[in-house]
Amino acid sequence: SPNQRREGCTVAILIYIFLTIGVSLISYFSQYRRYANNTSISYKTSVGLFNTPWMCIILISIILSLYSGSLDSEGLVDRVNYFRGFLMNQYYGSLETILDSRTEPGYIIISMIIREMTSDWFWFFFSMTFIVSVIHLYTLSNMSFKYTSVLLLYMLSSYFFLGTYLLKQALALSFANLAILSYLRNQSWRYFLFSCFSCAFHFSAIILFPVFFIFKHANSINSLFILVSLVILLIFLVPLLSFVLSMLPSIEQYLYTEDTLVNEEQNILVMFKGTPFYFITILALIKRKELRKIMNESDVFVISSVFFSISWILTYHHYWIFRIGLYFMLPTLVLIPMLLNTIKEKNLRFISFIIIYIPMIAINFRSILLILR
């Protein structure tokens, strides 16, 4: 009944709030232990500066996975579809049937492995969220020493909740983040390897390949050129991929599974979901020189922020293009605490904090309410 749905939605929201508080507390104490014996912490971030807090990562991942597995799937259309596919997928039989499916092979293989162990949908969603969470939290712990702040943003933005029902892209995002982490570690071959893995779960991850070259030359080009380049890339990416890749039989079948690359549904209101990130991007471009002093490879994070913002603006013409921008959301979240640290005046920093956090929280919880109601 409607009343039961509203009650269930309220409970889910309350649990999510307590979940966010709990995750923040766990990460805070983990962060304290992580730095307690290190007296040479540099303000300038360094990838892999500290040991990975594995106990914290595993504990938080289990908690998040329990929440994901317990969600009511009735209001989450994507979860219902994934659940049905998990139980009744006819492509589990052999490698040939996997390649003949209209779903990316990486996702089918993982589903098949889980299906061999259980047919319980709870453990299916639990397992998927656990895999994604472990990879995301590992990436965060190696991208920023402001672990608690970034993990709080991870929960308050829509990033985590999207992963509870957009399973294929959640898996693709996890490998995309490993690719970006590899780039920050100057491991180009791993960047391309993880980018290929990401494409095996959601073909929209092909965006990672051209962006590599923008990352590579970011330090030598100005902000305006970066902005224009990314706008042009996103504008022409959709028709270009639709034309070129549709001629490849082995790839064409993935493009229209969810209309990720070709859906054109005009809705100007969707653009407002990117509001806090527009402010972040403008501030990051203004503070680009200061960020270079306190962040290694800061331009990678600035470009990610620009790209994510542009993807929201272009949703007016291609609704699902924000799904391409999601590949750059995690580096954008890592950027935010460092960006706020470049603002020396306390009042201005507080105002910036409000402008970023309040809309982000409001948009996230509104999305949860709309999806679960």
Side-chain angles (χ1 to χ4, degrees):
S1 67
N3 288 334
Q4 289 177 324
R5 294 292 301 161
R6 281 194 292 270
E7 289 174 4
C9 185
T10 303
V11 170
I13 290 289
L14 289 174
I15 293 174
Y16 194 91
I17 292 171
F18 284 112
L19 197 69
T20 302
I21 295 171
V23 164
S24 300
L25 289 174
I26 293 170
S27 63
Y28 174 78
F29 289 112
S30 171
Q31 179 170 270
Y32 175 78
R33 289 173 61 90
R34 195 179 183 201
Y35 308 150
N37 298 321
N38 195 317
T39 58
S40 60
I41 299 175
S42 171
Y43 188 55
K44 185 164 184 175
T45 60
S46 177
V47 177
L49 182 64
F50 300 100
N51 294 328
T52 303
W54 281 112
M55 289 297 294
C56 173
I57 288 173
I58 298 299
L59 178 58
I60 292 175
S61 296
I62 290 173
I63 294 171
L64 297 181
S65 300
L66 288 170
Y67 176 81
S68 176
S70 301
L71 278 176
D72 179 12
S73 296
E74 185 178 341
L76 298 167
V77 177
D78 294 86
R79 277 174 68 96
V80 173
N81 293 335
Y82 282 121
F83 168 61
R84 290 173 180 168
F86 170 65
L87 291 181
M88 300 177 288
N89 203 311
Q90 67 270 34
Y91 301 114
Y92 288 165
S94 66
L95 180 61
E96 183 179 356
T97 57
I98 290 173
L99 295 177
D100 285 341
S101 71
R102 290 177 60 83
T103 300
E104 286 84 349
Y107 171 76
I108 293 181
I109 291 171
I110 285 189
S111 297
M112 183 172 60
I113 293 171
I114 297 173
R115 185 68 173 82
E116 287 295 316
M117 296 184 287
T118 180
S119 59
D120 189 332
W121 65 268
F122 172 87
W123 292 110
F124 169 65
F125 288 110
F126 177 95
S127 301
M128 289 294 189
T129 303
F130 184 78
I131 294 169
V132 169
S133 297
V134 167
I135 296 175
H136 282 167
L137 298 183
Y138 167 79
T139 306
L140 285 177
S141 72
N142 284 271
M143 274 191 183
S144 175
F145 66 76
K146 290 185 171 292
Y147 191 51
T148 299
S149 298
V150 179
L151 195 51
L152 181 62
L153 284 164
Y154 177 82
M155 295 298 298
L156 293 178
S157 68
S158 58
Y159 203 92
F160 164 68
F161 195 78
L162 284 171
T164 63
Y165 63 97
L166 300 179
L167 299 189
K168 285 199 304 179
Q169 187 156 21
L171 289 162
L173 289 173
S174 63
F175 285 101
N177 290 325
L178 286 176
I180 294 174
L181 178 61
S182 297
Y183 179 87
L184 296 172
R185 289 173 165 170
N186 296 314
Q187 298 170 329
S188 297
W189 68 273
R190 287 191 177 184
Y191 178 94
F192 287 106
L193 178 64
F194 286 127
S195 296
C196 290
F197 284 152
S198 186
C199 287
F201 293 99
H202 205 279
F203 204 75
S204 58
I206 196 170
I207 189 64
L208 293 169
F209 293 97
V211 168
F212 172 85
F213 298 99
I214 296 178
F215 283 163
K216 205 70 175 174
H217 299 285
N219 291 332
S220 60
I221 55 181
N222 61 41
S223 299
L224 180 61
F225 185 81
I226 290 173
L227 185 63
V228 172
S229 298
L230 291 174
V231 169
I232 292 173
L233 177 60
L234 273 177
I235 288 174
F236 290 100
L237 177 72
V238 173
L240 182 64
L241 288 180
S242 299
F243 174 72
V244 176
L245 299 180
S246 63
M247 296 185 292
L248 304 174
S250 60
I251 293 176
E252 183 270 342
Q253 61 182 336
Y254 304 130
L255 299 182
Y256 302 96
T257 303
E258 297 180 69
D259 291 333
T260 302
L261 301 177
V262 298
N263 190 346
E264 298 187 9
E265 179 183 327
Q266 295 183 341
N267 184 353
I268 196 168
L269 294 177
V270 178
M271 295 169 56
F272 288 100
K273 290 184 179 180
T275 299
F277 298 100
Y278 304 150
F279 176 78
I280 292 164
T281 296
I282 293 170
L283 189 59
L285 291 172
I286 294 172
K287 297 283 188 177
R288 192 177 174 196
K289 289 183 179 179
E290 285 116 305
L291 286 169
R292 284 177 173 173
K293 297 176 182 177
I294 62 174
M295 293 184 78
N296 288 337
E297 297 286 356
S298 62
D299 284 328
V300 170
F301 299 93
V302 174
I303 289 172
S304 296
S305 176
V306 173
F307 205 110
F308 188 53
S309 296
I310 294 172
S311 72
W312 278 112
I313 294 173
L314 294 180
T315 52
Y316 176 71
H317 291 293
H318 299 279
Y319 178 77
W320 291 111
I321 206 166
F322 82 90
R323 298 275 290 271
I324 298 176
L326 287 176
Y327 293 101
F328 307 95
M329 186 174 179
L330 198 71
T332 303
L333 298 181
V334 171
L335 173 67
I336 293 172
M338 302 304 295
L339 186 59
L340 290 174
N341 277 337
T342 64
I343 304 173
K344 304 304 180 185
E345 188 180 340
K346 289 184 178 180
N347 290 336
L348 187 57
R349 187 190 304 172
F350 178 74
I351 292 171
S352 298
F353 180 91
I354 295 298
I355 292 173
I356 292 171
Y357 277 76
I358 298 303
M360 190 181 299
I361 294 169
I363 291 167
N364 183 37
F365 283 101
R366 180 180 178 274
S367 297
I368 297 174
L369 283 169
L370 289 174
I371 291 169
L372 293 179
R373 70 179 181 183

